[in-house]
Amino acid sequence: MAMDSSNRLTFHRKLFTGLVVYSVILVACFASYQYMREKAFKVSELNAQLQIVNDRIFKKLSDGVPVGEIVIPSQFPDMRISVIDRHGKLIYDNSHDSLPGSDHSGRKEIADAMRNGEGFSIRRHSESTGLTYFYSAKSDGEYIVRTAVPYSVSLMQLLSADYGFLWVMVGITAAMCVVGYFATHRIGVNIERLRQFTRKAEKGEKIYDTEPFPHDELGDISSHVVRLYARLQQALADRDREHRAALREEREKIRIKRQLTNNINHELKTPVASMQVCLETLLEHEDIPADKRRDFLQRCYSANIRLRRLLDDVAMVTRLEDGGESIAREPVDVGEIVAEVEEEFTEEAHGKGMAIVTHMDSGFIVSGNQTLIYSIFRNLMSNAIAYSGASEVEVCGRRTGDRLCVIFQDNGTGVPEEHLPHLFERFYRIDKGRSRNLGGTGLGLAIVKNGVLWHGGSISVDNRPEGGLRFTFTLGMILDNAAADETLS
């Protein structure tokens, strides 16, 4: 069974624990080594002092002073003095009244003195006195003088290490642990952040690079890794979002094309059926009166005109929705086009008791397509005259920044609010029967909207407070005379 990660030591704790153990072992080894060196130094110093005493005893003996009368130094009141011959036999020992005569050649300090001229033994129990001594021996080749001091409290204190040094080493260890804690904590923070990052990345969660890492090399590397992954994740998310948007757009295009096909099919049935009925009647009744025959032919002609308009409008909408790359741009005088449209519809408007009022001077030259701009104003004018029931149609143009803003309005009955959002949809009609009877194709306002968008503008529609419908739209960038002349040339 896998161990719960919450019960495991963190990387920081593991690293800190290892550093503490390493520091303690290092300091302990150094302290032990220093302790042994200090103790060896003190032992060597004590041995040197005893060797000085040995030299003095040799001098006294060479001067003929009996060994028993040699004065013991005051700093070693309990000093034991022994004299051994070159064969290791004990000759004199001031700790006994009678000489034991034992062989001391096997004693370490004696053997070293016989071999090297001097020697010592740090701590050895004496069989004769029952005490523990520090022995120091020296040989002149004939005799060996050995001095020894018993292990008393004062001697043990003399040979003991300086514990102040040990406390200093403990303090250094503690300081190393504190510094190590903060150092490993910074590394631990980096590792923990990276661990959280890998967990989130494995689960596919959103990665943010807002939380900072510690400012060191590992932190910089970690920040770069997280930042690169976050950017990659964002790029993948953007790609997926664009892919979904493209799929939606493609599905929408397919739906619109299917809807357009259905609508065209539906719209074509009426004029085609009308022409078929008229033609069948004329073919079946050759003796039909001339006035009736003319009426049927007039109906066929009207249906044909409507069919042609429908096909022209469908072709225009298709070109615009495909991007309009094949539509050429040129400098267009919008004022002249408005004047042409006004002249074209004046008679029809007067016949319905309507007046056309324009407030647009010539000289508003924009970069666009003349046929398309003409179609925009013609469809709006035709729509107003046919459906608005107004007494006046007004067209105003003004400069707004570097663009031409146009307001096309009437004082008619307006449109119910629920229909306003749908006016620019293809084949959308408020009164379907009346629209067909008047020859409308249902594509006029769709052409207007797409034409404005092709020119880089925008269009909106609303009901005027005083009554009537108002279209507000912008057309392409206005060209100054020099730019227009250059473009024309």
Side-chain angles (χ1 to χ4, degrees):
M1 183 174 65
M3 183 182 295
D4 186 3
S5 59
S6 61
N7 295 328
R8 294 184 302 177
L9 286 176
T10 63
F11 181 81
H12 167 227
R13 291 181 179 177
K14 289 180 180 179
L15 188 61
F16 177 65
T17 301
L19 182 62
V20 169
V21 172
Y22 172 77
S23 300
V24 170
I25 293 175
L26 179 65
V27 171
C29 292
F30 183 75
S32 299
Y33 172 73
Q34 183 65 20
Y35 174 80
M36 296 302 295
R37 282 191 61 192
E38 186 178 355
K39 187 173 182 179
F41 173 76
K42 291 184 176 182
V43 167
S44 177
E45 188 135 326
L46 177 60
N47 178 59
Q49 294 179 18
L50 294 179
Q51 290 294 348
I52 292 174
V53 175
N54 292 338
D55 288 336
R56 291 176 181 174
I57 293 175
F58 271 118
K59 190 173 185 309
K60 294 288 186 181
L61 291 176
S62 64
D63 293 340
V65 178
V67 68
E69 298 179 4
I70 296 175
V71 179
I72 298 175
S74 59
Q75 67 268 35
F76 302 116
D78 298 326
M79 178 180 287
R80 178 180 173 186
I81 299 174
S82 303
V83 179
I84 299 101
D85 64 15
R86 60 177 180 164
H87 301 292
K89 299 296 183 179
L90 181 63
I91 300 175
Y92 170 79
D93 193 311
N94 64 350
S95 62
H96 294 277
D97 294 333
S98 58
L99 299 178
S102 61
D103 184 7
H104 282 51
S105 59
R107 310 292 171 87
K108 177 181 180 304
E109 68 279 4
I110 302 300
D112 290 343
M114 293 172 64
R115 184 172 57 254
N116 302 321
E118 61 180 51
F120 66 89
S121 181
I122 297 177
R123 190 167 187 166
R124 195 181 73 245
H125 182 73
S126 174
E127 296 177 358
S128 58
T129 63
L131 299 177
T132 302
Y133 290 91
F134 181 94
Y135 295 96
S136 179
K138 190 165 187 176
S139 173
D140 63 354
E142 188 67 25
Y143 296 99
I144 300 170
V145 173
R146 183 184 68 178
T147 54
V149 290
Y151 263 89
S152 60
V153 175
S154 58
L155 181 60
M156 286 189 290
Q157 290 176 349
L158 176 65
L159 295 180
S160 64
D162 184 5
Y163 288 99
F165 168 77
L166 295 178
W167 284 115
V168 170
M169 296 306 297
V170 171
I172 292 175
T173 304
M176 291 176 62
C177 291
V178 172
V179 173
Y181 173 82
F182 288 105
T184 56
H185 177 72
R186 291 173 65 88
I187 300 175
V189 170
N190 280 320
I191 299 301
E192 179 61 24
R193 283 286 315 281
L194 285 174
R195 187 170 69 91
Q196 294 175 1
F197 159 71
T198 55
R199 284 183 174 181
K200 290 182 178 180
E202 184 180 11
K203 295 178 181 178
E205 298 180 6
K206 180 67 176 176
I207 303 295
Y208 300 95
D209 60 348
T210 54
E211 187 176 353
F213 281 88
H215 295 292
D216 52 28
E217 288 81 358
L218 182 58
D220 291 340
I221 294 173
S222 302
S223 297
H224 286 309
V225 170
V226 174
R227 192 176 301 114
L228 288 173
Y229 186 85
R231 290 176 181 173
L232 175 62
Q233 195 178 52
Q234 185 62 42
L236 293 176
D238 293 342
R239 183 204 63 184
D240 294 341
R241 183 170 58 254
E242 291 175 359
H243 181 65
R244 289 192 297 269
L247 288 178
R248 285 196 300 269
E249 184 178 354
E250 186 65 25
R251 286 196 294 266
E252 182 64 14
K253 285 183 178 180
I254 294 173
R255 184 190 68 80
I256 290 174
K257 288 183 178 179
R258 185 181 296 114
Q259 184 183 26
L260 179 61
T261 302
N262 294 335
N263 289 336
I264 292 173
N265 181 58
H266 179 72
E267 293 295 330
L268 286 174
K269 286 181 179 178
T270 301
V272 170
S274 178
M275 286 190 292
Q276 182 177 356
V277 169
C278 292
L279 293 173
E280 286 177 352
T281 301
L282 291 173
L283 290 173
E284 291 176 0
H285 303 280
E286 296 181 0
D287 57 345
I288 192 171
D291 58 338
K292 291 288 186 180
R293 180 182 298 275
R294 182 176 181 80
D295 182 55
F296 281 121
L297 290 174
Q298 184 63 42
R299 290 183 185 180
C300 286
Y301 180 73
S302 298
N304 181 71
I305 290 176
R306 182 183 174 192
L307 183 59
R308 179 178 59 80
R309 287 179 180 174
L310 177 62
L311 294 175
D312 289 343
D313 288 348
V314 168
M316 177 65 75
V317 170
T318 302
R319 289 174 65 192
L320 291 172
E321 291 189 345
D322 287 343
E325 290 85 356
S326 60
I327 302 176
R329 283 185 179 271
E330 59 184 343
V332 180
D333 191 328
V334 180
E336 289 183 359
I337 291 180
V338 172
E340 290 179 15
V341 172
E342 180 183 4
E343 183 180 355
E344 179 183 351
F345 284 94
T346 296
E347 185 177 349
E348 183 180 353
H350 287 170
K352 291 190 176 185
M354 299 173 63
I356 301 176
V357 180
T358 62
H359 302 285
M360 183 175 296
D361 299 331
S362 61
F364 281 128
I365 301 176
V366 301
S367 176
N369 181 269
Q370 185 166 353
T371 303
L372 193 53
I373 293 178
Y374 180 83
S375 180
I376 291 172
F377 285 99
R378 188 185 186 285
N379 277 291
L380 288 174
M381 187 67 72
S382 176
N383 195 70
I385 293 174
Y387 307 114
S388 68
S391 61
E392 181 180 274
V393 178
E394 183 180 11
V395 183
C396 302
R398 67 175 183 270
R399 186 185 187 113
T400 303
D402 59 353
R403 292 185 174 273
L404 174 61
C405 179
V406 179
I407 297 177
F408 192 104
Q409 60 188 6
D410 61 68
N411 61 353
T413 57
V415 173
E417 292 293 330
E418 65 271 16
H419 294 290
L420 288 177
H422 307 286
L423 286 184
F424 297 111
E425 295 179 5
R426 287 164 299 184
F427 299 108
Y428 186 82
R429 293 184 175 91
I430 298 174
D431 186 345
K432 297 183 179 180
R434 181 166 177 260
S435 298
R436 288 197 179 93
N437 291 335
L438 293 175
T441 64
L443 292 173
L445 292 182
I447 292 174
V448 170
K449 178 183 178 181
N450 284 281
V452 170
L453 294 177
W454 186 88
H455 283 86
S458 60
I459 186 168
S460 62
V461 60
D462 65 320
N463 286 312
R464 300 173 63 196
E466 60 270 25
L469 201 62
R470 175 171 54 203
F471 293 87
T472 305
F473 59 94
T474 57
L475 289 175
M477 185 180 300
I478 298 176
L479 303 176
D480 55 26
N481 293 331
D485 293 341
E486 182 180 351
T487 307
L488 288 171
S489 63

